[in-house]
Amino acid sequence: MAQAYKGGDSSGTGTTGPGARFRRQGGRPLGDRGYWRRGIVLAVLAILLALVMVLHAQIPNTVGNLGSLIETFLPWLGVFIPVLLVLGLVRRSATAVIAVLAPAIVWFNLFGGLLTDKTGSGGDLTVVTHNVNAENSDPAGTAKDVAASGAQVIALEEVTAQALPSYQDALAKAYPYHTVQGTVGLWSKYPLSGTQAVDIKLGWTRALRTTVATPQGKVAVYVAHMPSVRVKLNSGFTASQRDKSADALGEAIADEPIEKVVLLGDLNGTMNDRALNGVTAQMRSTQGAAGSGFGFSWPAAFPMARIDQIMVKGVEPVTSWTLPATGSDHLPIAARVDL
């Protein structure tokens, strides 16, 4: 009786013939192009993410100040990169996995430098700035915490008339020289002169300028608290008043006759926010130049953005860091500079 042939056939449809090398476990050809066809949507999302980071300055502010909103939290777009990578691996999509390289490269190009420790030693002057919060229930304790940094110059924002005596009493011994203009103040171990309010187009005082007579020479110090920004459902990221104030502050600093300038304050914006270009274009961030990490300062419970800034011009940053939480919703930040 004739018997059926049980070996592999030359057509490659059997299990042991030459065609077996084109198969893998599960019966799907090893040359299956599904690896490249799957995950197209994920790949498109990855490319869009990369484009948003590359072209963030081109995103218009005409609708709800969307551009500035994205720039405020720009570093956090990196959170989506591992998410897309994991989804690409789950989908077993070579296309998606390779596409994720685009936003990863862009993110590291923008923020990779902040991941390294650039802090140094030495320096002549230590400065601190802190938005103490108008609703702070322990102003005296906050003042003592900030003074513990050993800074020669301390700037405070959101100083209310009710809390001012507490700050003055707590800082008077270590900082014999001080000035308060509106709701911003500066305490110094060195003499002050030429103090005046800075008009940032608000109608009330939230910025000042003074000259600090350090042993290394005169330094112009600005303290500013830019108007708050809001995210509203009906109007988006409302920041028009902050933007006008930032421009006015930038003009004042540009006209400053003293070569060495330090800006301390709550600017309600990050270094990436185009609205602060009038200031950031002419000054350096101490955190960016001599810090370690992003130095996020707000909100204190879970810092997500560095809207409190120390910036310098004609001065070399040596180190920059964030201080422990106080009774405020902001973290204090500090820097040491070489004059």
Side-chain angles (χ1 to χ4, degrees):
M1 179 183 293
Q3 294 182 343
Y5 177 65
K6 297 181 180 180
D9 59 35
S10 60
S11 67
T13 59
T15 59
T16 60
R21 67 178 180 275
F22 296 110
R23 293 181 173 275
R24 65 175 176 81
Q25 188 176 3
R28 183 174 294 172
L30 285 172
D32 179 22
R33 296 190 179 186
Y35 289 113
W36 301 100
R37 293 172 179 169
R38 287 192 298 270
I40 298 299
V41 173
L42 293 176
V44 170
L45 291 176
I47 298 301
L48 288 176
L49 179 61
L51 289 174
V52 168
M53 289 189 287
V54 169
L55 303 175
H56 65 87
Q58 309 305 318
I59 299 174
N61 265 339
T62 51
V63 179
N65 282 283
L66 180 62
S68 286
L69 176 60
I70 290 175
E71 288 168 337
T72 298
F73 299 101
L74 194 60
W76 288 96
L77 292 183
V79 171
F80 295 106
I81 295 174
V83 174
L84 290 171
L85 178 60
V86 170
L87 290 176
L89 292 173
V90 170
R91 288 281 292 147
R92 290 183 295 178
S93 167
T95 301
V97 170
I98 292 175
V100 171
L101 289 175
I105 291 171
V106 173
W107 190 92
F108 277 101
N109 183 60
L110 290 172
F111 303 110
L114 294 175
L115 301 179
T116 60
D117 186 351
K118 299 181 291 295
T119 58
S121 58
D124 309 307
L125 181 69
T126 300
V127 296
V128 166
T129 183
H130 188 27
N131 180 327
V132 294
N133 189 357
E135 299 178 0
N136 194 323
S137 61
D138 184 20
T142 295
K144 291 177 181 178
D145 289 341
V146 174
S149 66
Q152 287 85 37
V153 174
I154 293 176
L156 302 181
E157 302 86 47
E158 278 198 27
V159 178
T160 64
Q162 295 76 16
L164 178 57
S166 297
Y167 292 117
Q168 290 175 325
D169 291 344
L171 296 172
K173 184 176 181 180
Y175 299 90
Y177 308 98
H178 84 278
T179 179
V180 177
Q181 304 286 325
T183 58
V184 296
L186 185 135
W187 279 258
S188 173
K189 294 186 176 183
Y190 305 131
L192 306 178
S193 63
T195 302
Q196 59 186 11
V198 176
D199 182 11
I200 56 173
K201 312 303 181 183
L202 277 175
W204 67 94
T205 302
R206 285 192 11 174
L208 67 84
R209 178 258 179 226
T210 191
T211 300
V212 179
T214 75
Q216 290 75 31
K218 294 182 178 180
V219 179
V221 178
Y222 287 76
V223 181
H225 183 194
M226 294 293 101
S228 299
V229 296
R230 297 288 186 266
V231 180
K232 300 179 180 179
L233 293 177
N234 61 341
S235 56
F237 188 63
T238 58
S240 59
Q241 185 57 63
R242 188 280 311 269
D243 299 352
K244 294 177 183 177
S245 294
D247 290 341
L249 178 62
E251 292 173 4
I253 294 173
D255 294 336
E256 173 58 51
I258 295 179
E259 179 182 357
K260 298 175 181 179
V261 184
V262 176
L263 169 61
L264 308 167
D266 173 7
L267 304 190
N268 270 308
T270 67
M271 294 297 293
N272 298 112
D273 191 339
R274 75 193 69 176
L276 300 183
N277 282 351
V279 176
T280 57
Q282 57 180 318
M283 307 191 80
R284 300 173 67 192
S285 162
T286 58
Q287 182 67 25
S292 177
F294 290 93
F296 294 147
S297 63
W298 176 88
F302 186 80
M304 296 184 65
R306 186 180 178 87
I307 62 175
D308 303 277
Q309 305 289 351
I310 298 176
M311 293 190 232
V312 298
K313 181 169 71 171
V315 173
E316 187 64 29
V318 173
T319 185
S320 186
W321 68 99
T322 302
L323 296 172
T326 68
S328 171
D329 58 339
H330 291 243
L331 296 178
I333 61 173
R336 189 160 179 81
V337 300
D338 189 350
L339 301 178

